[in-house]
Amino acid sequence: MKVFSILLFCAAVVALLPAQAQGRRSRSAAPAAAAAGAEEAAPKTGVRFVICSPAGVSMPSPLYVRSGKEFKTISIGSRTPSARVKPVGGVVEFWDQNPAPAMAEGDKKAPKAAAEKLPEPIFTVTVPASAGSKSVCILSPNKDVKKTSTLFLNENDFPKKGMHVINLSSYPLQIITSESNDFKDKKESKIGVYRREDGICPENSWSFKGEKGQQVSFVLSYYDKATKGLKRMKASTFVLSERQSMVNIVVKDTTRNMPKLMPIQIAESKKDK
């Protein structure tokens, strides 16, 4: 009987172990599920930021923005837009330090009012209603960061699978395209100068929307007031992609008396899908 009792006890222990292991697996999987939920909570609408700095002035780094009830770092470059940010009250505020750092567990000395009263942001961007639910904000940095200028692109106006030119300079532009690449079928288009009161409009922008993988040759020129003729800025070939649009910003080169080309690749954000 003793042997039989010992066998029964061992069987009960073996049966209990898988249940305990499963419980541990469930608990360990909980943080992963929470992380996945946080990833899904990322905004699908809002503003993405990109830097356009003809004078070479840089933005402070790192920068922090609101993310729900917390704050997160945001990386802003000059080629591709940042992660999307949801405006709060029609504005996006930026700090150069985390305005509400996480309080260490058990730290009772931290003031309770710290979470209620935030430090003043180093600069604020007001998002106009015309920006649309999804937009790209072009930041032109200033040595005084509070004087950073902004310009908004409604992403619906510059869709994927397209090549776009936006003239922000005072130089009239001309673009010649050829879909056969031999320019026997060339098409000429004029792109007017930028006027702040008009903003970005059909008069100072140009778009080519074709098919995925299509190759198009182009020659972009500007009107030189000194010679009273056209001067070539760039001649090349672009390939259309269904995943991103190429937006070429034309600004005045501060070091030379001529315009400067600053390309931006606007790809679909993974959070938008």
Side-chain angles (χ1 to χ4, degrees):
M1 289 296 293
K2 272 187 178 182
V3 173
F4 182 71
S5 300
I6 292 172
L7 290 175
L8 283 178
F9 175 75
C10 292
V13 170
V14 171
L16 180 62
L17 285 176
Q20 291 176 333
Q22 184 177 3
R24 287 196 296 270
R25 284 197 298 270
S26 299
R27 287 192 294 271
S28 63
E39 185 71 18
E40 291 176 0
K44 293 186 177 181
T45 60
V47 187
R48 292 189 281 173
F49 295 88
V50 67
I51 296 172
C52 180
S53 180
V57 179
S58 60
M59 294 289 294
S61 181
L63 287 171
Y64 294 82
V65 293
R66 291 180 185 270
S67 178
K69 296 181 180 180
E70 299 179 350
F71 298 86
K72 66 177 182 181
T73 57
I74 182 171
S75 177
I76 306 177
S78 59
R79 290 284 183 175
T80 56
S82 68
R84 205 176 292 282
V85 180
K86 192 82 171 178
V88 178
V91 301
V92 178
E93 296 173 315
F94 293 85
W95 290 266
D96 57 356
Q97 294 182 0
N98 190 341
M103 184 174 65
E105 187 175 354
D107 184 3
K108 298 180 181 180
K109 295 181 180 180
K112 295 181 179 180
E116 300 175 3
K117 189 176 181 181
L118 297 173
E120 183 181 353
I122 61 170
F123 74 99
T124 301
V125 172
T126 300
V127 182
S130 59
S133 61
K134 295 180 181 180
S135 61
V136 173
C137 176
I138 300 174
L139 298 173
S140 294
N142 190 290
K143 290 182 179 179
D144 181 354
V145 69
K146 289 187 178 296
K147 295 181 180 179
T148 297
S149 61
T150 61
L151 191 65
F152 284 84
L153 307 181
N154 189 324
E155 292 184 31
N156 290 332
D157 296 335
F158 301 92
K160 299 184 299 297
K161 201 170 60 179
M163 161 81 163
H164 312 278
V165 177
I166 300 174
N167 188 10
L168 300 182
S169 76
S170 59
Y171 297 88
L173 306 177
Q174 174 186 271
I175 188 166
I176 300 175
T177 58
S178 172
E179 297 181 47
S180 64
N181 299 320
D182 59 10
F183 287 92
K184 291 180 179 178
D185 61 340
K186 69 177 183 179
K187 294 181 181 178
E188 297 182 4
S189 301
K190 305 291 184 183
I191 309 174
V193 301
Y194 177 75
R195 293 183 175 85
R196 183 172 292 275
E197 61 270 20
D198 297 330
I200 297 174
C201 61
E203 282 68 34
N204 54 39
S205 61
W206 171 90
S207 295
F208 185 97
K209 304 164 191 173
E211 301 298 327
K212 173 188 174 183
Q214 183 179 3
Q215 294 187 1
V216 181
S217 297
F218 74 96
V219 177
L220 181 63
S221 306
Y222 72 96
Y223 180 77
D224 183 34
K225 296 177 182 177
T227 61
K228 297 183 179 179
L230 290 170
K231 282 191 175 181
R232 180 177 297 189
M233 283 183 63
K234 185 174 183 179
S236 186
T237 300
F238 59 83
V239 181
L240 298 178
S241 168
E242 67 176 358
R243 296 185 177 181
Q244 67 178 18
S245 60
M246 178 63 74
V247 180
N248 295 278
I249 308 294
V250 179
V251 295
K252 186 183 186 322
D253 191 331
T254 56
T255 61
R256 297 181 294 173
N257 190 25
M258 63 179 294
K260 181 179 182 179
L261 197 63
M262 305 191 77
I264 299 171
Q265 295 178 351
I266 303 180
E268 182 179 28
S269 172
K270 293 180 180 179
K271 305 296 187 302
D272 296 343
K273 298 178 181 179

